[in-house]
Amino acid sequence: MKYLLILIVLFFTSCSNIQDKIKNAVQSENAKQIRNDYQEIVQLLSLYKTKLDKRNPKNYNNNLTSLLRKNILDNKNTINLFSHTRNHSFKYTDYLNLAFNKSSSIKNRNDYLAVGLYKMFYDAYKMDVKYKMTALSYDLEVLQKAYKNLQILQWKIKFDKDIEEQYLFLTWQNNWQIELEQQLKTTSLSNIPLSQLKNIQLQKESLLDPSNNSFEIITSKMILYMERSIKMLHAEPENLTIDALLSVIFII
């Protein structure tokens, strides 16, 4: 009888340990998945920066291109750019607010945007902590904040203009649309022969060409990875309404 009781105790103790191991394994897998989400996001960011530079060739410093890409893909946080207002910036909000500063004199917006996004993701995913045993090692509040910021940034990249009413970043616009918008500042649409727009005339583009949605597809994928990370923490992502996006002036 004595031995039977010992066996029963050992059996239930063993079951308890197995349950704990299973729970730990599940948490560990969640932590791994969240880290994988981060890796996917920064890979997309590198792709996005390449496309942005190609579409906005005057908006970046070519001497920094390889260094920025290496910093992003190697998961380092050592890039600190100089700005026109200070020797260098450290917070991601500094870079993002510079990227969206409405002054027409801002140079290298692409670099400020990329570094700001990278530092935001780096902070949100706590990449300064090299090993996170469970998903609970992540900070839900910081992830939610970055998730909302990414929604704001996706909107601002698409529509923000400087004080001279020039788009800060060209992404979805066809060249003929940019040309038409410039001409509409001085004359009415009825006075503009669309067939005479430069890119239409040279047959580089057509009036029927769809807008370029490849940039928004990339940022939307980033948003989806962040959504999954937040759900791994047993929370619901905080989606912003159109009204909220329209009312935001600065980065949160």
Side-chain angles (χ1 to χ4, degrees), residues 1-21:
M1 186 68 179
K2 177 180 178 182
Y3 294 113
L4 179 61
L5 288 173
I6 293 173
L7 285 173
I8 292 172
V9 170
L10 287 173
F11 174 78
F12 282 106
T13 303
S14 176
C15 287
S16 177
N17 289 337
I18 290 171
Q19 288 176 349
D20 288 340
K21 287 179 181 178

Side-chain angles (χ1 to χ4, degrees), residues 100-159:
F100 291 95
N101 189 305
K102 291 191 176 294
S103 170
S104 58
S105 64
I106 298 293
K107 296 180 179 180
N108 304 327
R109 288 185 191 274
N110 298 3
D111 297 336
Y112 291 135
L113 176 61
V115 173
L117 279 168
Y118 177 72
K119 288 181 178 289
M120 182 179 79
F121 295 137
Y122 192 94
D123 289 350
Y125 282 87
K126 298 182 69 174
M127 295 307 295
D128 55 331
V129 180
K130 297 304 178 185
Y131 181 72
K132 306 169 192 70
M133 189 169 64
T134 71
L136 297 177
S137 302
Y138 293 90
D139 190 320
L140 175 60
E141 184 178 350
V142 176
L143 266 172
Q144 288 278 26
K145 182 178 179 180
Y147 176 72
K148 288 189 288 185
N149 265 337
L150 188 53
Q151 295 173 70
I152 294 167
L153 290 163
Q154 185 182 55
W155 184 269
K156 290 173 75 66
I157 289 168
K158 196 171 182 178
F159 296 112

Side-chain angles (χ1 to χ4, degrees), residues 40-55:
E40 294 288 350
I41 288 170
V42 294
Q43 289 282 347
L44 288 168
L45 176 57
S46 180
L47 172 63
Y48 192 88
K49 178 63 163 60
T50 300
K51 286 177 64 66
L52 197 64
D53 290 348
K54 186 176 180 179
R55 187 70 180 94

